[in-house]
Amino acid sequence: MSVIKATAVGLGKMIKSGEVTVKDAVLATLGSIEKSEQTLNSFITVLDEDVLLARAAQVQEKIDCGELTGPLAGVPVAVKDNLCTKDVLTTCGSNMLANFKPTYTAEAVQNLERAGAVIIGKTNMDEFAMGSTTETSAYGVTRNPHNTDHVPGGSSGGSCAAVAANECFYALGSDTGGSIRQPSSFCGVTGLKPTYGTVSRYGLVAYGSSLDQIGPIAKDVTDCATILEVISSYDKKDSTSVRREDLNFTAALIDDVDGMRIGIPGEYIGEGLDPSVREAVLRAADVLRERGAIVEEFDLSLVEYAIPAYYVIACAEASSNLSRFDGVKYGYRTKEYEGLHNMYKKTRSEGFGPEVKRRIMLGSFVLSSGYYDAYYLKALRTKSLIKRAFDRAFQQYDVILGPAAPATAPRIGDSLGDPIQMYLGDIYTISVNLAGLPGISVPCGTDAHGLPIGLQLIGDCFKERNIIQAAYTFEQNKASDL
């Protein structure tokens, strides 16, 4: 097997044994990027080869002397371009930040660097993480490696496409309403969104602050669990960070679901779900049932209210968070203007793309006088009801099972013409963010056109181990052709 096709944990073992050097891994990654990038456009920025080789030599020395002993030491990683990296361009896929080089690095990325990771580059994404297809990026469309006429999903489409195409060994993404799990499903990789507060959001350029969470994207469940252990930490710089003692996620890599209670919401496998996706998801449920899990259908309720509640809350938070991009301190500034207010107006009109403007306007509207109670407060109450519905479900079940998306990846151009339809594509993922729950997407088959289908497993707050164990068991026992 060529180096580039190894899993992240597998490569880490090869580096420790001396079978492969960190330099070999970096050069293999750069070679793969050079081969695929012109077609896929997964990256916005790839670091200079000399910089990467210098980092590789530094990490190799620490591995050789026993200073770095972790499972990811020396393994190249790609980082979504809304995670700040000191002195490296961080654009959020927007013209607004086309020249922005942060003075600090996101805590999750720093945790990887402390573990010996080599940051290979910054991946493409929907502008400011607003989109489900990676088509709203100011740096061009990312294509799905399984069929380049189709989207990779979004907003972490660049990270998922890069992992799927072996342009990197693993990647970091961010998930506000499914932005790790949905593109992982579309690209046939594994993506994990942890419980809100598990991974520090310090250095993540905010979209919806009460919903955003950083997570791993990798080739299998073992990689995701290992990466999550490394990036999870309490961080006093993030007021929403949670101090947890149970961060040994790899302990859940057990091929055993005997007696585990798994619920399938009837609403998740009913109307609106593509038949090929339904068949693949129910077949995956059968795999877990055969391994001893108790699998049954139940009524989750409130699913139809999740999308309007999510978009009201997310857009309201986005309109506030994005007000800082005004051309004054950093980022893009219009060249010609008359007075301060005209500079604000022209800068934001020219710097932001159509989808970002749409969400800012929606968010400003629902927060405005006379509409705040009617929309925003009602959305917050709905969010609370959705959380309670999940609390009731987890009194009965250890894991909730369903699809990650209602269909496989659409063709490029189809979604942008109908934004509402694009929003509806998030129906199975956004409730997880509203309730702050962990969720994982695992490949579970393909449709008639060879496009991947993802199985989503949802756990209760701080119960990542349950979904990792169920996902690992499915992965170990699924048919070899999936």
Side-chain angles (χ1 to χ4, degrees):
M1 182 179 72
S2 66
V3 170
I4 198 63
K5 291 185 178 178
T7 64
V9 171
L11 177 63
K13 290 176 180 177
M14 291 163 71
I15 290 171
K16 281 190 193 62
S17 69
E19 185 181 344
V20 172
T21 65
V22 182
K23 180 181 178 182
D24 292 336
V26 168
L27 290 175
T29 306
L30 290 175
S32 183
I33 291 171
E34 185 178 359
K35 179 181 176 183
S36 305
E37 192 55 16
Q38 194 168 355
T39 302
L40 298 180
N41 193 34
S42 302
F43 286 85
I44 291 175
T45 301
V46 177
L47 272 65
D48 184 76
E49 183 176 329
D50 291 340
V51 172
L52 291 171
L53 292 179
R55 169 67 176 165
Q58 178 190 55
V59 171
Q60 186 71 60
E61 185 178 343
K62 290 183 178 181
I63 292 171
D64 292 343
C65 71
E67 186 178 337
L68 285 174
T69 58
L72 299 178
V75 181
V77 56
V79 175
K80 187 176 179 179
D81 207 27
N82 60 349
L83 287 160
C84 288
T85 41
K86 185 178 180 182
D87 299 328
V88 176
L89 207 59
T90 300
T91 70
C92 291
S94 177
N95 286 323
M96 186 63 82
L97 291 177
N99 62 355
F100 177 56
K101 292 186 178 180
T103 57
Y104 65 99
T105 296
E107 184 69 12
V109 180
Q110 279 196 311
N111 285 344
L112 285 179
E113 290 181 328
R114 293 184 193 109
V118 180
I119 311 301
I120 208 84
K122 308 295 291 293
T123 56
N124 202 5
M125 56 180 284
D126 282 300
E127 185 179 6
F128 284 103
M130 297 183 191
S132 303
T133 60
T134 315
E135 291 177 283
T136 69
S137 171
Y139 298 88
V141 175
T142 296
R143 296 178 179 272
N144 192 316
H146 294 271
N147 186 328
T148 54
D149 291 331
H150 291 250
V151 303
S155 62
S156 304
S159 289
C160 292
V163 173
N166 294 313
E167 290 186 306
C168 61
F169 294 91
Y170 69 102
L172 291 188
S174 68
D175 193 310
T176 307
S179 292
I180 287 174
R181 289 160 289 146
Q182 183 251 35
S184 292
S185 172
F186 284 0
C187 289
V189 295
T190 302
L192 196 160
K193 180 255 172 206
T195 303
Y196 184 77
T198 298
V199 180
S200 171
R201 292 187 302 109
Y202 177 77
L204 171 66
V205 179
Y207 164 18
S209 303
S210 71
L211 307 166
D212 296 337
Q213 189 63 186
I214 299 163
I217 296 157
K219 296 175 182 177
D220 63 15
V221 178
T222 299
D223 279 3
C224 276
T226 305
I227 299 157
L228 186 58
E229 275 190 12
V230 173
I231 63 175
S232 299
S233 63
Y234 171 71
D235 183 10
K236 63 183 180 181
K237 300 186 295 298
D238 173 12
S239 63
T240 61
S241 181
V242 177
R243 194 186 295 275
R244 293 181 61 175
E245 305 300 327
D246 58 334
L247 297 177
N248 184 13
F249 301 116
T250 52
L253 296 170
I254 303 167
D255 182 1
D256 181 17
V257 289
D258 191 27
M260 182 178 282
R261 297 165 301 162
I262 299 176
I264 304 175
E267 303 91 332
Y268 281 23
I269 55 171
E271 187 180 353
L273 183 63
D274 185 281
S276 62
V277 176
R278 182 187 295 108
E279 183 184 342
V281 168
L282 293 178
R283 198 164 56 238
D286 287 339
V287 170
L288 295 172
R289 187 182 283 114
E290 288 165 7
R291 294 293 298 164
I294 301 161
V295 183
E296 60 188 35
E297 194 175 320
F298 76 104
D299 179 20
L300 181 60
S301 79
L302 298 170
V303 170
E304 68 267 32
Y305 301 111
I307 287 177
Y310 168 80
Y311 277 100
V312 168
I313 294 168
C315 292
E317 293 182 6
S319 72
S320 175
N321 282 325
L322 270 62
S323 64
R324 71 194 68 182
F325 302 111
D326 55 13
V328 176
K329 292 181 179 175
Y330 53 81
Y332 175 79
R333 179 186 291 182
T334 187
K335 292 182 171 59
E336 297 180 6
Y337 55 90
E338 297 176 4
L340 185 63
H341 288 286
N342 182 251
M343 188 271 284
Y344 287 156
K345 184 177 178 180
K346 288 190 68 179
T347 293
R348 291 169 68 80
S349 295
E350 295 167 10
F352 290 133
E355 183 61 30
V356 174
K357 291 176 188 174
R358 182 183 293 119
R359 299 195 191 196
I360 289 173
M361 287 191 289
L362 176 58
S364 299
F365 172 76
V366 300
L367 291 175
S368 61
S369 176
Y371 298 100
Y372 183 84
D373 290 352
Y375 294 104
Y376 185 64
L377 289 186
K378 193 175 287 185
L380 290 179
R381 285 194 290 269
T382 304
K383 176 184 178 183
S384 180
L385 290 172
I386 289 169
K387 176 66 168 72
R388 278 185 234 162
F390 275 106
D391 288 344
R392 287 192 298 272
F394 285 118
Q395 288 174 3
Q396 292 181 269
Y397 303 107
D398 301 306
V399 171
I400 292 172
L401 179 152
T408 52
R411 285 185 172 274
I412 290 171
D414 286 358
S415 298
L416 289 187
D418 188 355
I420 300 299
Q421 197 61 38
M422 180 173 70
Y423 299 165
L424 291 173
D426 297 331
I427 189 167
Y428 303 125
T429 54
I430 55 179
S431 295
V432 174
N433 298 78
L434 289 170
L437 305 171
I440 188 170
S441 175
V442 187
C444 69
T446 57
D447 68 6
H449 305 289
L451 291 167
I453 298 168
L455 168 71
Q456 181 178 208
L457 297 166
I458 303 166
D460 200 359
C461 285
F462 309 116
K463 297 289 180 67
E464 283 89 353
R465 288 192 193 187
N466 285 349
I467 60 173
I468 289 169
Q469 185 169 338
Y472 182 77
T473 300
F474 169 70
E475 186 181 71
Q476 296 303 303
N477 294 280
K478 67 184 180 180
S480 60
D481 59 337
L482 294 186

mmCIF file of all heavy atoms in Angstrom, residues 409-439:
data_model
loop_
_atom_site.group_PDB
_atom_site.id
_atom_site.type_symbol
_atom_site.label_atom_id
_atom_site.label_comp_id
_atom_site.label_asym_id
_atom_site.label_seq_id
_atom_site.Cartn_x
_atom_site.Cartn_y
_atom_site.Cartn_z
ATOM 1 N N ALA A 409 -24.899 13.433 -3.015
ATOM 2 C CA ALA A 409 -24.413 14.751 -3.447
ATOM 3 C C ALA A 409 -25.093 15.224 -4.731
ATOM 4 O O ALA A 409 -25.105 14.502 -5.738
ATOM 5 C CB ALA A 409 -22.903 14.699 -3.666
ATOM 6 N N PRO A 410 -25.670 16.444 -4.726
ATOM 7 C CA PRO A 410 -26.282 16.972 -5.950
ATOM 8 C C PRO A 410 -25.226 17.437 -6.950
ATOM 9 O O PRO A 410 -24.045 17.596 -6.603
ATOM 10 C CB PRO A 410 -27.098 18.165 -5.440
ATOM 11 C CG PRO A 410 -26.403 18.602 -4.200
ATOM 12 C CD PRO A 410 -25.832 17.352 -3.588
ATOM 13 N N ARG A 411 -25.661 17.658 -8.170
ATOM 14 C CA ARG A 411 -24.760 18.185 -9.188
ATOM 15 C C ARG A 411 -24.382 19.628 -8.871
ATOM 16 O O ARG A 411 -25.153 20.365 -8.253
ATOM 17 C CB ARG A 411 -25.413 18.134 -10.572
ATOM 18 C CG ARG A 411 -25.456 16.752 -11.173
ATOM 19 C CD ARG A 411 -26.007 16.760 -12.590
ATOM 20 N NE ARG A 411 -25.844 15.443 -13.185
ATOM 21 C CZ ARG A 411 -24.749 15.036 -13.803
ATOM 22 N NH1 ARG A 411 -23.722 15.857 -13.939
ATOM 23 N NH2 ARG A 411 -24.665 13.824 -14.314
ATOM 24 N N ILE A 412 -23.206 20.016 -9.298
ATOM 25 C CA ILE A 412 -22.757 21.397 -9.120
ATOM 26 C C ILE A 412 -23.730 22.325 -9.841
ATOM 27 O O ILE A 412 -24.095 22.093 -10.983
ATOM 28 C CB ILE A 412 -21.321 21.568 -9.653
ATOM 29 C CG1 ILE A 412 -20.334 20.821 -8.737
ATOM 30 C CG2 ILE A 412 -20.938 23.048 -9.748
ATOM 31 C CD1 ILE A 412 -18.926 20.732 -9.272
ATOM 32 N N GLY A 413 -24.181 23.360 -9.151
ATOM 33 C CA GLY A 413 -25.096 24.344 -9.725
ATOM 34 C C GLY A 413 -26.548 24.134 -9.357
ATOM 35 O O GLY A 413 -27.335 25.082 -9.371
ATOM 36 N N ASP A 414 -26.916 22.891 -8.998
ATOM 37 C CA ASP A 414 -28.328 22.615 -8.704
ATOM 38 C C ASP A 414 -28.814 23.310 -7.442
ATOM 39 O O ASP A 414 -29.941 23.807 -7.390
ATOM 40 C CB ASP A 414 -28.559 21.103 -8.565
ATOM 41 C CG ASP A 414 -28.524 20.387 -9.905
ATOM 42 O OD1 ASP A 414 -28.351 21.075 -10.941
ATOM 43 O OD2 ASP A 414 -28.652 19.149 -9.929
ATOM 44 N N SER A 415 -27.986 23.354 -6.405
ATOM 45 C CA SER A 415 -28.423 23.876 -5.104
ATOM 46 C C SER A 415 -28.474 25.393 -5.058
ATOM 47 O O SER A 415 -29.366 25.966 -4.428
ATOM 48 C CB SER A 415 -27.497 23.363 -3.998
ATOM 49 O OG SER A 415 -27.546 21.959 -3.922
ATOM 50 N N LEU A 416 -27.530 26.055 -5.697
ATOM 51 C CA LEU A 416 -27.472 27.522 -5.603
ATOM 52 C C LEU A 416 -28.697 28.181 -6.234
ATOM 53 O O LEU A 416 -29.089 29.282 -5.848
ATOM 54 C CB LEU A 416 -26.193 28.054 -6.261
ATOM 55 C CG LEU A 416 -24.888 27.769 -5.517
ATOM 56 C CD1 LEU A 416 -23.737 28.503 -6.190
ATOM 57 C CD2 LEU A 416 -24.966 28.167 -4.054
ATOM 58 N N GLY A 417 -29.308 27.497 -7.182
ATOM 59 C CA GLY A 417 -30.500 28.065 -7.819
ATOM 60 C C GLY A 417 -31.729 28.015 -6.936
ATOM 61 O O GLY A 417 -32.721 28.695 -7.194
ATOM 62 N N ASP A 418 -31.671 27.206 -5.861
ATOM 63 C CA ASP A 418 -32.814 27.053 -4.958
ATOM 64 C C ASP A 418 -32.300 26.962 -3.523
ATOM 65 O O ASP A 418 -32.194 25.875 -2.947
ATOM 66 C CB ASP A 418 -33.606 25.785 -5.326
ATOM 67 C CG ASP A 418 -34.921 25.681 -4.548
ATOM 68 O OD1 ASP A 418 -35.159 26.530 -3.668
ATOM 69 O OD2 ASP A 418 -35.685 24.742 -4.822
ATOM 70 N N PRO A 419 -31.995 28.126 -2.902
ATOM 71 C CA PRO A 419 -31.426 28.117 -1.549
ATOM 72 C C PRO A 419 -32.301 27.408 -0.517
ATOM 73 O O PRO A 419 -31.787 26.744 0.384
ATOM 74 C CB PRO A 419 -31.294 29.612 -1.215
ATOM 75 C CG PRO A 419 -31.246 30.307 -2.527
ATOM 76 C CD PRO A 419 -32.105 29.496 -3.439
ATOM 77 N N ILE A 420 -33.630 27.530 -0.637
ATOM 78 C CA ILE A 420 -34.520 26.891 0.325
ATOM 79 C C ILE A 420 -34.343 25.375 0.290
ATOM 80 O O ILE A 420 -34.295 24.704 1.327
ATOM 81 C CB ILE A 420 -35.998 27.256 0.048
ATOM 82 C CG1 ILE A 420 -36.202 28.775 0.152
ATOM 83 C CG2 ILE A 420 -36.921 26.522 1.012
ATOM 84 C CD1 ILE A 420 -35.893 29.354 1.516
ATOM 85 N N GLN A 421 -34.223 24.829 -0.923
ATOM 86 C CA GLN A 421 -34.007 23.388 -1.054
ATOM 87 C C GLN A 421 -32.673 22.997 -0.426
ATOM 88 O O GLN A 421 -32.555 21.927 0.190
ATOM 89 C CB GLN A 421 -34.037 22.988 -2.533
ATOM 90 C CG GLN A 421 -34.226 21.482 -2.780
ATOM 91 C CD GLN A 421 -35.543 20.960 -2.213
ATOM 92 O OE1 GLN A 421 -36.562 21.623 -2.267
ATOM 93 N NE2 GLN A 421 -35.503 19.759 -1.648
ATOM 94 N N MET A 422 -31.666 23.845 -0.564
ATOM 95 C CA MET A 422 -30.364 23.589 0.044
ATOM 96 C C MET A 422 -30.496 23.571 1.569
ATOM 97 O O MET A 422 -29.936 22.706 2.246
ATOM 98 C CB MET A 422 -29.353 24.659 -0.377
ATOM 99 C CG MET A 422 -27.961 24.474 0.222
ATOM 100 S SD MET A 422 -26.732 25.628 -0.434
ATOM 101 C CE MET A 422 -27.287 27.178 0.286
ATOM 102 N N TYR A 423 -31.259 24.513 2.123
ATOM 103 C CA TYR A 423 -31.466 24.552 3.570
ATOM 104 C C TYR A 423 -32.174 23.281 4.049
ATOM 105 O O TYR A 423 -31.850 22.747 5.108
ATOM 106 C CB TYR A 423 -32.292 25.779 3.972
ATOM 107 C CG TYR A 423 -31.681 27.124 3.624
ATOM 108 C CD1 TYR A 423 -32.446 28.273 3.644
ATOM 109 C CD2 TYR A 423 -30.335 27.242 3.267
ATOM 110 C CE1 TYR A 423 -31.903 29.517 3.327
ATOM 111 C CE2 TYR A 423 -29.783 28.468 2.937
ATOM 112 C CZ TYR A 423 -30.568 29.605 2.964
ATOM 113 O OH TYR A 423 -30.028 30.833 2.634
ATOM 114 N N LEU A 424 -33.147 22.795 3.279
ATOM 115 C CA LEU A 424 -33.894 21.600 3.667
ATOM 116 C C LEU A 424 -33.005 20.355 3.694
ATOM 117 O O LEU A 424 -33.319 19.374 4.361
ATOM 118 C CB LEU A 424 -35.071 21.378 2.708
ATOM 119 C CG LEU A 424 -36.216 22.389 2.790
ATOM 120 C CD1 LEU A 424 -37.217 22.154 1.666
ATOM 121 C CD2 LEU A 424 -36.908 22.334 4.138
ATOM 122 N N GLY A 425 -31.895 20.412 2.979
ATOM 123 C CA GLY A 425 -30.962 19.290 2.968
ATOM 124 C C GLY A 425 -30.269 19.063 4.307
ATOM 125 O O GLY A 425 -29.623 18.036 4.515
ATOM 126 N N ASP A 426 -30.402 20.034 5.232
ATOM 127 C CA ASP A 426 -29.771 19.915 6.551
ATOM 128 C C ASP A 426 -30.701 19.302 7.593
ATOM 129 O O ASP A 426 -30.393 19.304 8.786
ATOM 130 C CB ASP A 426 -29.330 21.300 7.048
ATOM 131 C CG ASP A 426 -28.275 21.942 6.156
ATOM 132 O OD1 ASP A 426 -27.505 21.194 5.533
ATOM 133 O OD2 ASP A 426 -28.233 23.184 6.086
ATOM 134 N N ILE A 427 -31.836 18.785 7.177
ATOM 135 C CA ILE A 427 -32.890 18.389 8.113
ATOM 136 C C ILE A 427 -32.445 17.355 9.143
ATOM 137 O O ILE A 427 -32.920 17.359 10.286
ATOM 138 C CB ILE A 427 -34.140 17.899 7.344
ATOM 139 C CG1 ILE A 427 -35.322 17.706 8.296
ATOM 140 C CG2 ILE A 427 -33.830 16.633 6.542
ATOM 141 C CD1 ILE A 427 -36.651 17.538 7.607
ATOM 142 N N TYR A 428 -31.530 16.463 8.792
ATOM 143 C CA TYR A 428 -31.149 15.394 9.714
ATOM 144 C C TYR A 428 -29.954 15.756 10.597
ATOM 145 O O TYR A 428 -29.618 14.995 11.508
ATOM 146 C CB TYR A 428 -30.828 14.109 8.949
ATOM 147 C CG TYR A 428 -31.970 13.630 8.087
ATOM 148 C CD1 TYR A 428 -31.795 13.396 6.730
ATOM 149 C CD2 TYR A 428 -33.236 13.431 8.627
ATOM 150 C CE1 TYR A 428 -32.846 12.966 5.932
ATOM 151 C CE2 TYR A 428 -34.299 13.013 7.834
ATOM 152 C CZ TYR A 428 -34.105 12.791 6.492
ATOM 153 O OH TYR A 428 -35.157 12.376 5.704
ATOM 154 N N THR A 429 -29.317 16.885 10.326
ATOM 155 C CA THR A 429 -28.102 17.232 11.072
ATOM 156 C C THR A 429 -28.273 18.407 12.034
ATOM 157 O O THR A 429 -27.634 18.449 13.067
ATOM 158 C CB THR A 429 -26.947 17.562 10.098
ATOM 159 O OG1 THR A 429 -27.380 18.588 9.183
ATOM 160 C CG2 THR A 429 -26.508 16.336 9.319
ATOM 161 N N ILE A 430 -29.143 19.363 11.705
ATOM 162 C CA ILE A 430 -29.164 20.607 12.476
ATOM 163 C C ILE A 430 -29.689 20.447 13.895
ATOM 164 O O ILE A 430 -29.255 21.172 14.796
ATOM 165 C CB ILE A 430 -29.967 21.716 11.747
ATOM 166 C CG1 ILE A 430 -31.369 21.239 11.425
ATOM 167 C CG2 ILE A 430 -29.256 22.182 10.513
ATOM 168 C CD1 ILE A 430 -32.209 22.283 10.744
ATOM 169 N N SER A 431 -30.590 19.485 14.125
ATOM 170 C CA SER A 431 -31.113 19.289 15.488
ATOM 171 C C SER A 431 -29.996 18.936 16.459
ATOM 172 O O SER A 431 -30.051 19.283 17.646
ATOM 173 C CB SER A 431 -32.168 18.181 15.496
ATOM 174 O OG SER A 431 -33.294 18.544 14.744
ATOM 175 N N VAL A 432 -28.977 18.231 15.966
ATOM 176 C CA VAL A 432 -27.837 17.840 16.796
ATOM 177 C C VAL A 432 -27.126 19.095 17.325
ATOM 178 O O VAL A 432 -26.731 19.147 18.491
ATOM 179 C CB VAL A 432 -26.876 16.944 15.984
ATOM 180 C CG1 VAL A 432 -25.609 16.652 16.771
ATOM 181 C CG2 VAL A 432 -27.573 15.650 15.600
ATOM 182 N N ASN A 433 -26.975 20.098 16.482
ATOM 183 C CA ASN A 433 -26.324 21.342 16.908
ATOM 184 C C ASN A 433 -27.219 22.153 17.842
ATOM 185 O O ASN A 433 -26.738 22.749 18.809
ATOM 186 C CB ASN A 433 -25.942 22.180 15.687
ATOM 187 C CG ASN A 433 -24.945 21.465 14.798
ATOM 188 O OD1 ASN A 433 -25.315 20.586 14.032
ATOM 189 N ND2 ASN A 433 -23.679 21.835 14.891
ATOM 190 N N LEU A 434 -28.516 22.187 17.539
ATOM 191 C CA LEU A 434 -29.442 22.922 18.397
ATOM 192 C C LEU A 434 -29.437 22.354 19.816
ATOM 193 O O LEU A 434 -29.588 23.092 20.792
ATOM 194 C CB LEU A 434 -30.859 22.867 17.820
ATOM 195 C CG LEU A 434 -31.102 23.687 16.549
ATOM 196 C CD1 LEU A 434 -32.457 23.347 15.950
ATOM 197 C CD2 LEU A 434 -31.003 25.189 16.824
ATOM 198 N N ALA A 435 -29.272 21.044 19.936
ATOM 199 C CA ALA A 435 -29.282 20.395 21.244
ATOM 200 C C ALA A 435 -27.884 20.205 21.831
ATOM 201 O O ALA A 435 -27.740 19.707 22.952
ATOM 202 C CB ALA A 435 -29.980 19.038 21.140
ATOM 203 N N GLY A 436 -26.826 20.593 21.078
ATOM 204 C CA GLY A 436 -25.450 20.489 21.570
ATOM 205 C C GLY A 436 -24.920 19.073 21.660
ATOM 206 O O GLY A 436 -24.001 18.790 22.418
ATOM 207 N N LEU A 437 -25.484 18.150 20.873
ATOM 208 C CA LEU A 437 -25.169 16.724 20.973
ATOM 209 C C LEU A 437 -23.983 16.323 20.099
ATOM 210 O O LEU A 437 -23.637 17.027 19.142
ATOM 211 C CB LEU A 437 -26.389 15.906 20.553
ATOM 212 C CG LEU A 437 -27.699 16.190 21.291
ATOM 213 C CD1 LEU A 437 -28.849 15.459 20.610
ATOM 214 C CD2 LEU A 437 -27.596 15.787 22.754
ATOM 215 N N PRO A 438 -23.373 15.162 20.367
ATOM 216 C CA PRO A 438 -22.345 14.629 19.459
ATOM 217 C C PRO A 438 -22.981 13.791 18.353
ATOM 218 O O PRO A 438 -24.012 13.135 18.562
ATOM 219 C CB PRO A 438 -21.504 13.741 20.383
ATOM 220 C CG PRO A 438 -22.475 13.258 21.420
ATOM 221 C CD PRO A 438 -23.478 14.371 21.612
ATOM 222 N N GLY A 439 -22.378 13.801 17.184
ATOM 223 C CA GLY A 439 -22.866 13.001 16.064
ATOM 224 C C GLY A 439 -21.708 12.587 15.174
ATOM 225 O O GLY A 439 -20.698 13.296 15.087
#
